[in-house]
Amino acid sequence: MGMERVEVRGLMIWCMIMGLLANLVTTHVHGGDQSPLVAAAHFRKMKTFEASAVPVSGSPLVSPSPSQGESHPRVYHVTSYGADPTGKTDSTDALLEAMSAAFQGPTEGFLMEGIANLGGPRIDLQGGYYLISRPLRFPAAGAGNIMSNETLNAELASSSSYNYEYITIKDVMLDSNYRGGAISVINSLRTSIDNCYITHFTTNGIEVRQGHETYIRNSYLGQHITAGGDPGERNFSGTAITLDGNDNAVTDVVIFSAATGILISGQANVLSGVHLYNKATGFGGTGIYLKLPGLAQTRIVNCYLDYTGIIAEDPVQLLVSNSFFLGDAYIVLKSVNGVANGVNIVDNMFSGSGKGVEIVQLDQSRGKFKDVDQVFVDRNNVKGMKLKATVAKGAVQGNGTSWTVDFSGVLLFPNQIRHVQYTLSTPTGGFPNHVLRNSSDNRVVIESNVAIPASVFVTVNQVLVQS
């Protein structure tokens, strides 16, 4: 699938869409005072080879009803409602009328309790440019199954307070023209945002609030259109994706400019295959910010953090694995109430500039970490950065009665060795007595009762080893 070249014009929002602009898809036009502004906007259809494409020539208001025994989605052509595909006149009312008509069509039972199954209607923008002057919002709550060719029905006994279910936003390009955000998904169930290009936002590119199971995939987001090294990078603002809800997934997404790439304040979310090179950490940017102190429940796997890192407040049940950190990008565990529990940072690659930047750092400016349990940082490989871990091995040789192995440069938490294993080997005969004397300040001291030449091998762990 190819995307034609789009020329960005002043005070215009360009959108290329195949199918339905759905589920609280809001092109915000708010200024700094959050009051609505009248801003020009355009939508444009993306070139596609999808089999579901409908010819626009001579299209009726609504596609004819299928013959008996067949099942096809209803298609609502926006020009039939008075939308101007040349972009010369305002099409806001016409687009809203088409959306309203789609919602007023026949239903096919229910999905979740209280959510009518619309049977897969689709609004077709027919390849035009459409001028809009205010946000486009769904006309009613309590509906689902939009832009779908087939529906599987099931009886559900549970109750629900969701507004929408089974919504697809697909093949969209949204240019917010620095007027606000682009897509807002609020209190919705099983929403899919697929193959979208979102740019020039100032607030949120995609905002997910409440709801359940929003999947964002195969998409590109950036406040400024750039491929890195932008001279204005220090001034990047806004957040590309905000997840203020549970059980969502972001997969195979590129975030190329924003102050914050992904802000997560909900539980049980997963990020996979995400490439972030938004505002660099050195300029004050953050790739992924986990802002749910005491209950992260987040999995970050197979991601690429490019000169921008991860911040996690009081992380509980956090996994960061099999990811690549480039350009001195690192992970910060930030103390809010001093809690870090069930954190696994394993099997990642870190590549830096040789300036001694630590791959995992503690922010204890608001207080020390006091409740630390099951934090495991290990098996990461490092080039040009400083390794930090919660597990370490060391060795020392000497002739005397005391041997010290210093782990303070490697261990993540200060003064918190909880488990020590050591071996003392001496070439001399006899059986000297030896014992672990101290492990404070992340330094292990082994002493013997007589002076001997010996090699001491030590393994330490900052997490208690369960028997």
Side-chain angles (χ1 to χ4, degrees), residues 29-196:
V29 286
H30 298 294
D33 60 356
Q34 299 303 309
S35 61
L37 301 177
V38 178
H42 278 75
F43 289 92
R44 182 163 186 180
K45 187 176 178 181
M46 181 181 290
K47 289 182 177 180
T48 178
F49 297 102
E50 290 189 4
S52 61
V54 179
V56 300
S57 177
S59 299
L61 181 67
V62 180
S63 295
S65 299
S67 60
Q68 189 172 3
E70 295 182 352
S71 179
H72 298 286
R74 300 181 306 279
V75 181
Y76 296 80
H77 301 286
V78 297
T79 55
S80 298
Y81 294 85
D84 177 10
T86 69
K88 294 179 180 178
T89 59
D90 193 332
S91 295
T92 306
D93 290 336
L95 293 171
L96 289 172
E97 187 178 349
M99 293 168 65
S100 178
F103 268 76
Q104 293 172 4
T107 61
E108 301 178 5
F110 289 86
L111 300 172
M112 288 290 291
E113 182 179 344
I115 298 181
N117 181 0
L118 297 179
R122 186 174 72 243
I123 294 177
D124 194 336
L125 298 185
Q126 302 170 252
Y129 292 86
Y130 297 93
L131 180 70
I132 67 171
S133 58
R134 62 184 186 275
L136 298 178
R137 293 186 173 92
F138 268 10
N145 187 13
I146 297 176
M147 190 179 167
S148 174
N149 293 325
E150 182 177 356
T151 303
L152 300 176
N153 294 314
E155 296 294 329
L156 298 174
S158 61
S159 62
S160 171
S161 60
Y162 299 113
N163 293 329
Y164 300 97
E165 181 185 2
Y166 190 26
I167 306 298
T168 298
I169 305 168
K170 191 170 187 289
D171 300 334
V172 180
M173 181 176 180
L174 286 169
D175 185 339
S176 299
N177 197 37
Y178 305 112
R179 295 283 178 162
I183 297 176
S184 182
V185 181
I186 301 174
N187 198 28
S188 297
L189 177 64
R190 290 183 271 275
T191 298
S192 175
I193 300 173
D194 188 8
N195 193 33
C196 294

Side-chain angles (χ1 to χ4, degrees), residues 3-338:
M3 183 186 298
E4 57 187 344
R5 184 174 181 271
V6 177
E7 181 179 357
V8 180
R9 302 176 183 177
L11 295 178
M12 290 186 178
I13 300 177
W14 296 94
C15 172
M16 297 186 293
I17 180 170
M18 159 56 72
L20 178 65
L21 181 68
N23 192 24
L24 294 176
V25 180
T26 305
T27 304
H28 300 284
V29 286
H30 298 294
D33 60 356
Q34 299 303 309
S35 61
L37 301 177
V38 178
H42 278 75
F43 289 92
R44 182 163 186 180
K45 187 176 178 181
M46 181 181 290
K47 289 182 177 180
T48 178
F49 297 102
E50 290 189 4
S52 61
V54 179
V56 300
S57 177
S59 299
L61 181 67
V62 180
S63 295
S65 299
S67 60
Q68 189 172 3
E70 295 182 352
S71 179
H72 298 286
R74 300 181 306 279
V75 181
Y76 296 80
H77 301 286
V78 297
T79 55
S80 298
Y81 294 85
D84 177 10
T86 69
K88 294 179 180 178
T89 59
D90 193 332
S91 295
T92 306
D93 290 336
L95 293 171
L96 289 172
E97 187 178 349
M99 293 168 65
S100 178
F103 268 76
Q104 293 172 4
T107 61
E108 301 178 5
F110 289 86
L111 300 172
M112 288 290 291
E113 182 179 344
I115 298 181
N117 181 0
L118 297 179
R122 186 174 72 243
I123 294 177
D124 194 336
L125 298 185
Q126 302 170 252
Y129 292 86
Y130 297 93
L131 180 70
I132 67 171
S133 58
R134 62 184 186 275
L136 298 178
R137 293 186 173 92
F138 268 10
N145 187 13
I146 297 176
M147 190 179 167
S148 174
N149 293 325
E150 182 177 356
T151 303
L152 300 176
N153 294 314
E155 296 294 329
L156 298 174
S158 61
S159 62
S160 171
S161 60
Y162 299 113
N163 293 329
Y164 300 97
E165 181 185 2
Y166 190 26
I167 306 298
T168 298
I169 305 168
K170 191 170 187 289
D171 300 334
V172 180
M173 181 176 180
L174 286 169
D175 185 339
S176 299
N177 197 37
Y178 305 112
R179 295 283 178 162
I183 297 176
S184 182
V185 181
I186 301 174
N187 198 28
S188 297
L189 177 64
R190 290 183 271 275
T191 298
S192 175
I193 300 173
D194 188 8
N195 193 33
C196 294
Y197 190 112
I198 298 171
T199 189
H200 296 158
F201 50 86
T202 57
T203 53
N204 293 284
I206 298 174
E207 178 191 29
V208 178
R209 282 198 281 131
Q210 301 176 336
H212 199 236
E213 296 170 0
T214 296
Y215 273 52
I216 304 168
R217 55 180 173 252
N218 306 321
S219 295
Y220 304 86
L221 298 95
Q223 184 182 50
H224 301 270
I225 297 178
T226 178
D230 193 293
E233 183 173 347
R234 292 179 181 273
N235 299 318
F236 288 177
S237 61
T239 300
I241 297 175
T242 293
L243 299 178
D244 185 13
N246 300 343
D247 305 348
N248 307 297
V250 181
T251 306
D252 298 330
V253 166
V254 175
I255 298 174
F256 52 87
S257 61
T260 301
I262 302 176
L263 175 64
I264 300 178
S265 55
Q267 304 171 27
N269 294 290
V270 59
L271 311 182
S272 175
V274 180
H275 181 194
L276 301 108
Y277 59 103
N278 53 296
K279 188 174 184 178
T281 299
F283 296 153
T286 304
I288 301 169
Y289 199 115
L290 305 174
K291 196 174 182 63
L292 187 65
L295 194 60
Q297 293 182 333
T298 300
R299 290 153 292 160
I300 302 171
V301 295
N302 297 322
C303 291
Y304 178 10
L305 289 106
D306 196 340
Y307 283 80
T308 186
I310 298 173
I311 298 177
E313 295 186 351
D314 275 3
V316 173
Q317 293 191 312
L318 168 64
L319 170 66
V320 182
S321 71
N322 296 104
S323 294
F324 179 45
F325 294 77
L326 180 67
D328 288 327
Y330 55 88
I331 301 169
V332 176
L333 306 183
K334 184 175 183 178
S335 172
V336 176
N337 297 308

Side-chain angles (χ1 to χ4, degrees), residues 351-371:
S351 180
S353 60
K355 297 179 180 178
V357 176
E358 299 174 348
I359 64 169
V360 182
Q361 302 179 16
L362 303 180
D363 180 351
Q364 301 186 94
S365 59
R366 296 177 60 176
K368 293 183 178 180
F369 280 100
K370 298 169 292 186
D371 181 5

Side-chain angles (χ1 to χ4, degrees), residues 442-465:
N442 287 337
R443 292 177 175 85
V444 173
V445 179
I446 307 297
E447 293 185 356
S448 66
N449 63 330
V450 294
I452 54 171
S455 298
V456 176
F457 305 91
V458 181
T459 299
V460 295
N461 197 325
Q462 294 197 305
V463 178
L464 287 174
V465 178

